């Protein structure tokens, strides 16, 4: 069911309220609507407010959300947002428990959507080559050969992102531990999981993004693994190789 009158589509009032405050207000309103419909536990809105108090929506995030909504890079469908062109691009803004009940706000999803919009509108990448939740990566930009070019990873907290970057920078230059097929993703060390994504898909660049910390790296591959070299700059679409590289 498509909710064409959902408040998140109506970007006009944001100018008067302030983009970050407007986005927070509408996210919490969506939480209240979920609870009223029996699809979220009582108090999910209060819990969301607590999450945003600890990790406030940043101006750059709210700006990219508004830009994304206006350009239809972000499309609201009931309590979900849809990004990109993939059929499986609809994701909830909320965390669900085993019974399918929404129990909390996914703070990381706010940053993830802002990152997706930024790669298209700030760095010039085509919509069709900028993919949301693709190949187990938060946001992925592919080249003309459909090879990974930029892998963007999102975290809700800057300190978590800094810790991950520290591990990825040098811990895997001599090898990347394999993850058994039968091992639950929840039991795998997060840095090992992300290292496997890098090693298996071979992106040329890694962009780590949280609400308050953004770090850009070139991925340097060794015979057995890789390391990250911080560049401080995300490459633009114009900086992609002009010819196919084999």
């Amino acid at each position: 069911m498509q909710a064409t009158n959902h408040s998140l589509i109506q970007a006009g009032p944001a100018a008067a309220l302030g983009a970050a405050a407007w986005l927070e207000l509408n996210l919490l309103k969506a939480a209240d609507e979920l609870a009223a419909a029996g699809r979220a536990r009582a108090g999910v809105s209060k819990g969301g407010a607590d999450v945003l108090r600890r990790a406030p929506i940043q101006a750059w995030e709210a700006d990219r959300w508004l830009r994304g909504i206006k350009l239809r890079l972000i499309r609201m469908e009931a309590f979900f947002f849809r990004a990109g062109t993939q059929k499986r691009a609809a994701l909830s803004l909320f965390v669900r428990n085993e019974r399918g009940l929404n129990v909390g706000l996914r703070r990381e999803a706010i940053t993830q959507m802002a990152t997706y919009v930024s790669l298209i509108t700030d760095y010039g990448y085509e919509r069709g080559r900028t993919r949301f939740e693709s190949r187990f990566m938060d946001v992925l930009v592919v080249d003309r050969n459909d090879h990974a070019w930029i892998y963007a990873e999102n975290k809700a907290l800057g300190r978590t992102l800094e810790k991950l970057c520290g591990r990825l920078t040098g811990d895997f230059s001599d090898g990347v531990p394999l993850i058994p097929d039968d091992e639950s993703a929840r039991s795998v060390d997060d840095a090992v999981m992300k290292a496997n994504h890098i090693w298996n898909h071979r992106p040329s660049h890694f962009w780590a993004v949280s609400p308050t910390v953004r770090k850009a790296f070139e991925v340097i591959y060794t015979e057995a693994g890789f390391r990250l070299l911080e560049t401080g700059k995300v490459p633009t679409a114009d900086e992609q190789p002009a010819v196919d590289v084999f």
Side-chain angles (χ1 to χ4, degrees), residues 11-19 21-22 66:
L17 185 61
W22 171 86
L66 286 174

Side-chain angles (χ1 to χ4, degrees), residues 5-11 22-23 26-27 30 65 69 76 93:
N5 62 342
H6 195 283
S7 56
L8 274 170
I9 295 180
Q10 300 169 8
W22 171 86
L23 182 55
N26 281 277
L27 292 177
W65 264 77
I69 291 169
M76 301 308 302
L93 286 165

Side-chain angles (χ1 to χ4, degrees), residues 23-151:
L23 182 55
E24 178 175 347
L25 178 67
N26 281 277
L27 292 177
L28 298 181
K29 181 179 178 182
D32 285 332
E33 292 172 354
L34 276 171
R39 298 176 61 182
R41 71 180 182 188
V44 69
S45 178
K46 181 180 182 301
D50 290 340
V51 168
L52 295 177
R53 192 158 36 247
R54 294 192 298 271
I57 296 172
Q58 301 298 300
W60 77 271
E61 294 177 293
D63 175 80
R64 300 316 184 275
W65 264 77
L66 286 174
R67 191 185 300 175
I69 291 169
K70 290 175 181 177
L71 296 174
R72 291 191 57 77
L73 296 170
I74 301 174
R75 304 181 304 282
M76 301 308 302
E77 298 179 4
F79 309 113
F80 301 89
F81 59 78
R82 187 177 295 276
T85 57
Q86 295 94 333
K87 292 182 180 179
R88 298 182 61 187
L91 295 174
S92 175
L93 286 165
F94 303 92
V95 179
R96 295 181 183 180
N97 62 16
E98 294 82 359
R99 295 181 298 163
L101 197 65
N102 293 277
V103 296
L105 178 68
R106 291 184 66 232
R107 176 62 182 87
E108 181 180 310
I110 300 172
T111 310
Q112 193 176 357
M113 291 302 303
T115 300
Y116 167 77
V117 173
S118 184
L119 283 165
I120 296 171
T121 63
D122 293 321
Y123 298 99
Y125 290 102
E126 297 176 19
R127 297 185 187 204
R129 290 182 179 165
T130 308
R131 300 174 182 175
F132 192 79
E133 290 281 349
S134 179
R135 305 178 195 178
F136 303 102
M137 291 175 273
D138 286 342
V139 186
L140 172 67
V141 177
V142 298
D143 63 17
R144 68 187 66 189
N145 299 313
D146 204 41
H147 297 154
W149 171 246
I150 298 175
Y151 164 21

